């Protein structure tokens, strides 16, 4: 059985489950654990994204470094090549914590002029398959962050 050690940089709620991602400590590449359970829709169950801290059960947090059992099943998603199946019902193990300063020291920002190799509003799966270096997650420096909400 293989394990991945991941520094968690992404955690969001997705259809009553969690989407968790970060970078693999060994390869420094993005990595996203997903369940093979169709009900989770490529997310992680709350029960699986927990670890024991003494007697307390804790939900994974941003900047946790966790160890996850990797399933032998291969995720073949051309748009999200960082996905991997984890062994369901196997509790994750927290092995440490990090912070943004260490993350940047370990792997730095992703250097991209364009996201998904296009300035367009959409990109087709066929266009994605033509790219050699595909990632659907990027860590980018932000100098001027703004959110605009249009109400119609």
């Amino acid at each position: 059985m293989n394990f991945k050690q991941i520094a968690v940089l992404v955690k969001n709620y997705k259809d009553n489950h969690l989407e968790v991602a970060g970078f693999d400590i060994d390869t420094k590449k993005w990595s996203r654990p997903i369940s093979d359970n169709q009900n989770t829709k490529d997310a992680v169950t709350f029960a699986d994204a927990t670890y024991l801290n003494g007697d307390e059960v804790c939900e994974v947090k941003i900047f946790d470094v966790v160890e996850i059992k990797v399933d032998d099943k291969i995720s073949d998603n051309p748009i999200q090549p960082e996905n991997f199946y984890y062994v369901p019902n196997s509790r994750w193990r927290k092995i440490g914590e990090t912070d943004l300063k260490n993350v940047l020291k370990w792997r730095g920002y992703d250097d991209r002029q364009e996201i998904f190799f296009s300035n367009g509003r959409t990109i087709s799966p066929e266009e994605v398959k033509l790219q050699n270096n595909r990632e659907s997650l990027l860590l980018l420096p932000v100098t001027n962050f703004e959110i605009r909400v249009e109400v119609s």
Side-chain angles (χ1 to χ4, degrees):
M1 183 79 36
N2 291 327
F3 291 87
K4 278 188 184 257
Q5 295 179 349
I6 296 174
V8 177
L9 300 179
V10 176
K11 175 186 170 186
N12 62 308
Y13 299 92
K14 178 181 178 181
D15 297 323
N16 296 317
H17 301 289
L18 289 174
E19 185 171 52
V20 176
F23 75 89
D24 184 307
I25 296 293
D26 294 326
T27 66
K28 308 300 187 256
K29 293 184 178 184
W30 283 102
S31 206
R32 179 189 290 123
I34 61 171
S35 172
D36 66 354
N37 180 335
Q38 294 302 314
N39 294 329
T40 63
K41 299 179 183 143
D42 287 344
V44 175
T45 66
F46 283 98
D48 288 342
T50 61
Y51 55 84
L52 292 175
N53 185 9
D55 292 334
E56 184 181 1
V57 176
C58 299
E59 189 177 290
V60 68
K61 299 186 302 274
I62 300 290
F63 295 128
D64 280 350
V65 179
V66 295
E67 186 173 71
I68 303 171
K69 284 185 186 178
V70 177
D71 197 322
D72 293 334
K73 184 176 175 183
I74 303 296
S75 170
D76 186 24
N77 183 335
I79 297 175
Q80 295 178 326
E82 64 277 350
N83 289 0
F84 73 92
Y85 289 108
Y86 68 93
V87 175
N89 304 314
S90 61
R91 192 176 300 281
W92 297 4
R93 189 168 73 94
K94 181 178 176 180
I95 58 173
E97 294 179 2
T98 190
D99 57 27
L100 184 58
K101 182 178 178 181
N102 279 323
V103 168
L104 294 176
K105 184 170 73 173
W106 287 337
R107 71 172 307 277
Y109 289 114
D110 293 301
D111 184 23
R112 292 284 177 81
Q113 297 300 311
E114 300 171 324
I115 297 174
F116 276 129
F117 315 97
S118 170
N119 285 325
R121 292 184 62 146
T122 62
I123 184 167
S124 71
E126 291 75 26
E127 291 173 290
V128 172
K129 288 178 185 177
L130 295 175
Q131 303 302 322
N132 292 328
N133 185 17
R134 299 185 292 257
E135 293 177 319
S136 69
L137 297 166
L138 297 172
L139 182 62
L140 302 172
V142 176
T143 55
N144 184 16
F145 181 74
E146 184 177 324
I147 296 176
R148 294 183 185 185
V149 178
E150 294 183 19
V151 180
S152 53

